[in-house]
Amino acid sequence: MSLFNPTDLNCPSCDRSFSFELCASVNADRRPDLRQAILDETFQRATCPHCQGTVRMEPRLSYLDVGRGQWMAAFPRNKVDDWKALEASALDSFNRAFGAGASAAERELGDALKARVVFSWEALREKLLAFDAGLDDVALEELKLLLLRDMQEPPLPLGAELRLTGVASDTGDLDFTVLDRQGQSLESLTVPRDLLAEVTGDPEGWAELTRSLQAGPFVDVQRLSRGQ
Ligand SMILES: [Zn+2]
């Protein structure tokens, strides 16, 4: 079930309060429109009725798509340094719903679900795009490491991250944006999909990183550098 809770927000522009339906969970099988709104980057945007200012609420929700075998816990961008604790609590929630603590039917469902933890709308959207394009998200993170290594002259600001923003339907080329710590876009780049072969063609060379990246559901290069 998709869940929304009415919440009083303080408008960041005029500081007056208004009520907003804050999303706590998305069931993409029953509400494909919510999945589409995440892809369109329109989800959880609020317009203040007093000053018409707009604000986008940070995600703090669970996401379930049985059809695509996806389960995700999404947290606000500024919580990424707490990923170890949040990953553990997300895994706990997943196991209660679909693991040892659940009924046989739910456990069977859980076996077909890939659990992921993300921080920010961009990271959630990236996982949806990668799935639609048939990209393995571990290989995608390894490709980012290759790209980041080549982008160090001049150095990127501390905490900058790469996010997949699109996949060309004809060539399969991959569009990325570089975001700073606050999520502001610094630049964008397009890389040929063939570059992924440098990762997928050498599983032994990447084995150690693959192990590190999939040590938990937070499958993201940030697990190598943040919250240490
Ligand atoms: Zn306002």
Side-chain angles (χ1 to χ4, degrees):
M1 200 166 79
S2 301
L3 266 178
F4 289 83
N5 299 316
T7 309
D8 282 329
L9 292 186
N10 269 346
C11 172
S13 306
C14 72
D15 206 33
R16 280 183 284 183
S17 82
F18 64 96
S19 181
F20 181 71
E21 294 288 318
L22 203 59
C23 183
S25 83
V26 168
N27 183 318
D29 301 285
R30 291 186 198 165
R31 293 290 307 272
D33 58 312
L34 301 183
R35 178 180 191 274
Q36 191 57 48
I38 294 169
L39 288 168
D40 294 343
E41 301 178 89
T42 55
F43 194 50
Q44 293 279 279
R45 283 192 195 278
T47 302
C48 170
H50 309 295
C51 74
Q52 314 307 317
T54 59
V55 56
R56 188 173 196 194
M57 301 310 294
E58 283 284 313
R60 192 180 279 278
L61 53 86
S62 64
Y63 178 96
L64 175 65
D65 188 335
V66 175
R68 293 180 177 83
Q70 289 179 307
W71 181 91
M72 284 188 269
F75 296 101
R77 160 182 304 282
N78 66 6
K79 295 292 181 201
V80 68
D81 283 323
D82 300 332
W83 69 262
K84 281 180 188 165
L86 292 170
E87 179 183 64
S89 80
L91 208 47
D92 201 45
S93 306
F94 181 81
N95 285 333
R96 259 180 286 128
F98 302 107
S103 70
E106 285 160 336
R107 284 201 305 273
E108 196 182 321
L109 195 65
D111 286 343
L113 293 173
K114 215 180 237 186
R116 292 291 184 256
V117 169
V118 296
F119 295 84
S120 79
W121 291 117
E122 290 84 358
L124 177 58
R125 181 171 183 264
E126 173 180 70
K127 295 291 184 196
L128 303 185
L129 291 171
F131 179 91
D132 280 350
L135 297 171
D136 172 59
D137 63 343
V138 177
L140 183 65
E141 294 306 307
E142 290 169 344
L143 173 64
K144 286 186 198 172
L145 288 172
L146 276 184
L147 297 172
L148 286 166
R149 194 190 58 193
D150 290 342
M151 290 173 77
Q152 289 310 314
E153 282 302 325
L156 291 169
L158 194 69
E161 63 187 59
L162 275 174
R163 291 292 164 202
L164 182 75
T165 55
V167 181
S169 55
D170 47 355
T171 58
D173 287 354
L174 309 173
D175 296 325
F176 290 92
T177 183
V178 183
L179 302 173
D180 69 12
R181 277 181 106 91
Q182 281 74 42
Q184 297 301 311
S185 180
L186 301 173
E187 58 179 300
S188 54
L189 61 152
T190 299
V191 304
R193 190 171 177 135
D194 293 353
L195 212 55
L196 259 181
E198 290 200 23
V199 173
T200 54
D202 180 20
E204 275 176 34
W206 289 89
E208 201 180 322
L209 268 172
T210 299
R211 259 194 306 278
S212 303
L213 285 167
Q214 52 186 23
F218 179 40
V219 175
D220 193 297
V221 293
Q222 289 178 324
R223 76 181 289 132
L224 309 175
S225 60
R226 303 295 296 263
Q228 298 296 317

